[in-house]
Amino acid sequence: MSQPQAGRPIERIVLLSLDGLYSAIALPILVERLQGRVVGMCLSRRFGGKYGSWWTQLKKATSRSGWDFVIYTMLQLVLFYPMSALAAGLNRILGRRRTVYPLRQLARRYGIPVFSTREPNNDAVVERIRSLKPDLIVVCYFDHIIRRPLIEVARCGVINIHTGLLPAMRGPAPNAWS
């Protein structure tokens, strides 16, 4: 991987994330602060593909992590969009600025191209991200492991924002363990 050139600013950033409550709170702040520099957003499709159907993932999560985790995840999935809409309505009534956005709405608000995938290391996805010519890829609340071909796309590499202390709180929802 090439090293970043000294003094050359990071102008083009691609975000890889998963739509959910935590990303809807954190990423609007990041996108606002990096306004104009985020040139693409790749969202993970949570169900289907190599991870199996909704039912298959529910059974795996229950056996691996127990019902507390499953209930937490289901509430997050089921309530996220209604909570987001309710918060937006309350903010509008109270005359406050909206701060929580589902990621597709956030991308639309800032004019950021957005696409989704079940496999970010797929050649077609790597090429699509390469076509955005990123200086940096930021991974935040993403449920996939990023492989070398994707890491090497960005001039400065990849930064993973992780909400839990590694390696103790690794996995698909470290915020639940923290």
Side-chain angles (χ1 to χ4, degrees), residues 20-96:
L21 181 59
Y22 292 101
S23 57
I25 293 169
L27 288 181
I29 296 166
L30 185 66
V31 168
E32 188 173 303
R33 295 218 172 124
L34 298 172
Q35 222 168 60
R37 291 193 224 169
V38 179
V39 297
M41 192 180 297
C42 176
L43 303 181
S44 174
R45 284 192 202 151
R46 200 178 279 229
F47 302 108
K50 68 181 181 182
Y51 298 109
S53 67
W54 179 87
W55 182 249
T56 302
Q57 289 185 44
L58 175 66
K59 289 190 298 186
K60 283 182 196 173
T62 306
S63 67
R64 219 176 326 161
S65 305
W67 280 103
D68 290 346
F69 170 72
V70 171
I71 291 168
Y72 160 80
T73 303
M74 296 309 296
L75 286 174
Q76 208 260 139
L77 283 171
V78 172
L79 295 179
F80 168 63
Y81 291 107
M83 284 175 40
S84 175
L86 179 63
L90 285 173
N91 283 335
R92 196 173 349 194
I93 290 168
L94 297 172
R96 292 190 216 149

Side-chain angles (χ1 to χ4, degrees), residues 51-161:
Y51 298 109
S53 67
W54 179 87
W55 182 249
T56 302
Q57 289 185 44
L58 175 66
K59 289 190 298 186
K60 283 182 196 173
T62 306
S63 67
R64 219 176 326 161
S65 305
W67 280 103
D68 290 346
F69 170 72
V70 171
I71 291 168
Y72 160 80
T73 303
M74 296 309 296
L75 286 174
Q76 208 260 139
L77 283 171
V78 172
L79 295 179
F80 168 63
Y81 291 107
M83 284 175 40
S84 175
L86 179 63
L90 285 173
N91 283 335
R92 196 173 349 194
I93 290 168
L94 297 172
R96 292 190 216 149
R97 182 170 93 68
R98 185 173 182 179
T99 57
V100 176
Y101 289 91
L103 295 182
R104 288 191 183 279
Q105 289 179 12
L106 178 68
R108 193 171 32 255
R109 177 174 185 207
Y110 286 96
I112 301 168
V114 64
F115 61 98
S116 58
T117 184
R118 287 190 177 99
E119 181 48 66
N121 298 296
N122 173 305
D123 291 342
V125 174
V126 171
E127 282 307 311
R128 184 160 187 186
I129 293 171
R130 181 176 282 122
S131 74
L132 297 169
K133 299 181 176 106
D135 295 320
L136 180 67
I137 296 173
V138 176
V139 179
C140 184
Y141 304 103
F142 202 55
D143 58 347
H144 296 279
I145 295 171
I146 307 302
R147 306 276 182 227
R148 183 164 297 283
L150 184 54
I151 292 170
E152 291 177 345
V153 165
R155 176 177 59 88
C156 297
V158 175
I159 293 176
N160 181 26
I161 300 170

